[in-house]
Amino acid sequence: RTPWGNMYEYSSLLAALAVAAYLIAVEWRLKIRTLGGFVYAFVVLTMAMAVSFFYVGPQALLPALNSYWRQIHVTSMIVASSG
Protein backbone atom coordinates (compact mmCIF):
# COMPACT_ATOMS: atom_id res chain seq x y z
CA ARG A 1 0.00 0.00 0.00
CA THR A 2 0.99 3.59 -0.40
CA PRO A 3 1.30 6.03 2.48
CA TRP A 4 -1.87 7.68 1.18
CA GLY A 5 -4.08 4.85 2.43
CA ASN A 6 -7.59 5.05 1.01
CA MET A 7 -7.25 8.44 -0.65
CA TYR A 8 -8.54 7.12 -3.97
CA GLU A 9 -11.84 6.13 -2.36
CA TYR A 10 -12.07 9.43 -0.47
CA SER A 11 -11.39 11.41 -3.64
CA SER A 12 -14.06 9.46 -5.52
CA LEU A 13 -16.56 10.08 -2.72
CA LEU A 14 -15.69 13.78 -2.63
CA ALA A 15 -16.27 14.06 -6.38
CA ALA A 16 -19.60 12.20 -6.20
CA LEU A 17 -20.79 14.34 -3.27
CA ALA A 18 -19.78 17.55 -5.06
CA VAL A 19 -21.84 16.58 -8.13
CA ALA A 20 -24.81 15.48 -6.00
CA ALA A 21 -24.72 18.66 -3.90
CA TYR A 22 -24.53 20.80 -7.02
CA LEU A 23 -27.39 18.99 -8.74
CA ILE A 24 -29.68 19.03 -5.72
CA ALA A 25 -28.88 22.37 -4.07
CA VAL A 26 -27.92 24.58 -6.99
CA GLU A 27 -29.37 23.13 -10.17
CA TRP A 28 -32.82 22.01 -9.01
CA ARG A 29 -33.58 24.34 -6.10
CA LEU A 30 -31.88 27.61 -7.02
CA LYS A 31 -31.97 27.12 -10.82
CA ILE A 32 -28.43 28.51 -11.21
CA ARG A 33 -26.78 26.72 -14.09
CA THR A 34 -23.68 28.87 -14.50
CA LEU A 35 -21.83 27.22 -11.61
CA GLY A 36 -21.87 23.80 -13.25
CA GLY A 37 -18.65 24.31 -15.17
CA PHE A 38 -16.72 25.13 -12.02
CA VAL A 39 -18.12 22.15 -10.15
CA TYR A 40 -17.41 19.76 -12.99
CA ALA A 41 -13.89 21.17 -13.44
CA PHE A 42 -13.26 20.51 -9.74
CA VAL A 43 -14.62 16.97 -10.12
CA VAL A 44 -12.49 16.23 -13.19
CA LEU A 45 -9.35 17.53 -11.48
CA THR A 46 -10.14 15.57 -8.31
CA MET A 47 -10.64 12.33 -10.24
CA ALA A 48 -7.53 12.97 -12.36
CA MET A 49 -5.47 13.38 -9.18
CA ALA A 50 -7.06 10.29 -7.67
CA VAL A 51 -6.32 8.10 -10.67
CA SER A 52 -2.83 9.50 -11.24
CA PHE A 53 -1.48 9.48 -7.69
CA PHE A 54 -3.74 7.58 -5.29
CA TYR A 55 -4.93 4.48 -7.15
CA VAL A 56 -3.55 1.19 -5.87
CA GLY A 57 -4.25 -1.86 -7.99
CA PRO A 58 -5.57 -5.14 -6.65
CA GLN A 59 -3.15 -7.18 -4.61
CA ALA A 60 -2.90 -10.84 -3.67
CA LEU A 61 -5.50 -12.10 -1.23
CA LEU A 62 -4.33 -12.85 2.30
CA PRO A 63 -3.95 -16.59 2.87
CA ALA A 64 -6.38 -16.45 5.81
CA LEU A 65 -9.11 -15.13 3.50
CA ASN A 66 -8.47 -17.62 0.73
CA SER A 67 -10.81 -20.42 1.82
CA TYR A 68 -14.07 -21.95 0.69
CA TRP A 69 -15.94 -19.69 3.17
CA ARG A 70 -15.21 -16.72 0.92
CA GLN A 71 -17.19 -18.24 -1.96
CA ILE A 72 -20.05 -19.15 0.40
CA HIS A 73 -20.06 -15.64 1.88
CA VAL A 74 -19.98 -13.84 -1.47
CA THR A 75 -22.69 -16.05 -2.95
CA SER A 76 -24.96 -15.64 0.05
CA MET A 77 -24.48 -11.84 0.08
CA ILE A 78 -25.36 -11.61 -3.62
CA VAL A 79 -28.48 -13.71 -3.11
CA ALA A 80 -29.44 -11.74 0.04
CA SER A 81 -29.07 -8.35 -1.64
CA SER A 82 -30.94 -9.34 -4.80
CA GLY A 83 -34.24 -9.82 -3.03
Side-chain angles (χ1 to χ4, degrees):
R1 302 264 322 163
T2 64
W4 297 103
N6 295 330
M7 288 300 294
Y8 177 76
E9 289 84 4
Y10 295 140
S11 299
S12 299
L13 179 64
L14 176 66
L17 290 176
V19 170
Y22 167 73
L23 287 175
I24 293 170
V26 178
E27 185 84 20
W28 289 335
R29 290 194 182 178
L30 300 176
K31 307 289 189 215
I32 301 174
R33 291 183 169 81
T34 56
L35 295 176
F38 297 107
V39 174
Y40 294 135
F42 169 75
V43 168
V44 167
L45 287 174
T46 301
M47 290 307 299
M49 291 284 291
V51 169
S52 298
F53 300 111
F54 303 138
Y55 180 74
V56 177
Q59 298 173 351
L61 192 62
L62 295 174
L65 298 176
N66 198 10
S67 72
Y68 67 93
W69 285 107
R70 180 176 47 104
Q71 286 85 5
I72 294 171
H73 171 74
V74 170
T75 304
S76 64
M77 291 299 106
I78 291 172
V79 170
S81 66
S82 67

